[in-house]
Amino acid sequence: MILWCEVCIQNFVMHVSFRANLGVLTMNDQSSAFLLTPKNLRITLYISLVVGHLLFGVLYPESIAIAALGFAFFAALVLFQLRPAHSQTIKVEKTVHLDK
């Protein structure tokens, strides 16, 4: 179920990014410039799903385990998206041994 939800989110993000690349804007230019980047769109969707699972847990206490798992999963995805990008520099040292 969660995997299917992630696939739906990825398809939605790709669709909105594709429309943004075509120049089709449905909102005003200031907010669309911020939201139409794939990373910001994913963060917005994940935060809304975190809030949704929190509300689900509050409204249906008998399903608290499902709400807690969904909350934890999407909160982890939000934190994963917000982590700073690492600039990995690969240092290669070449050593040449010449035996004569």
Side-chain angles (χ1 to χ4, degrees):
M1 175 80 176
I2 293 176
L3 182 62
W4 178 81
C5 188
E6 180 67 24
V7 169
C8 290
I9 290 170
Q10 292 295 333
N11 287 338
F12 180 73
V13 167
M14 294 307 238
H15 173 72
V16 172
S17 299
F18 179 72
R19 287 183 57 140
N21 288 338
L22 290 177
V24 178
L25 297 177
T26 57
M27 300 179 287
N28 61 14
D29 290 339
Q30 290 179 345
S31 63
S32 66
F34 174 76
L35 282 177
L36 290 180
T37 62
K39 183 175 181 177
N40 291 338
L41 189 60
R42 274 192 208 102
I43 291 171
T44 304
L45 286 171
Y46 292 154
I47 289 175
S48 66
L49 286 168
V50 165
V51 171
H53 279 88
L54 180 68
L55 291 175
F56 179 75
V58 168
L59 293 174
Y60 299 101
E62 63 274 3
S63 300
I64 196 73
I66 295 170
L69 287 174
F71 178 84
F73 178 75
F74 288 111
L77 286 177
V78 168
L79 293 175
F80 184 72
Q81 290 293 320
L82 291 176
R83 75 183 193 285
H86 298 293
S87 59
Q88 294 180 350
T89 326
I90 299 173
K91 185 177 178 183
V92 177
E93 295 182 17
K94 293 184 179 181
T95 306
V96 180
H97 298 286
L98 297 174
D99 295 329
K100 290 187 180 184

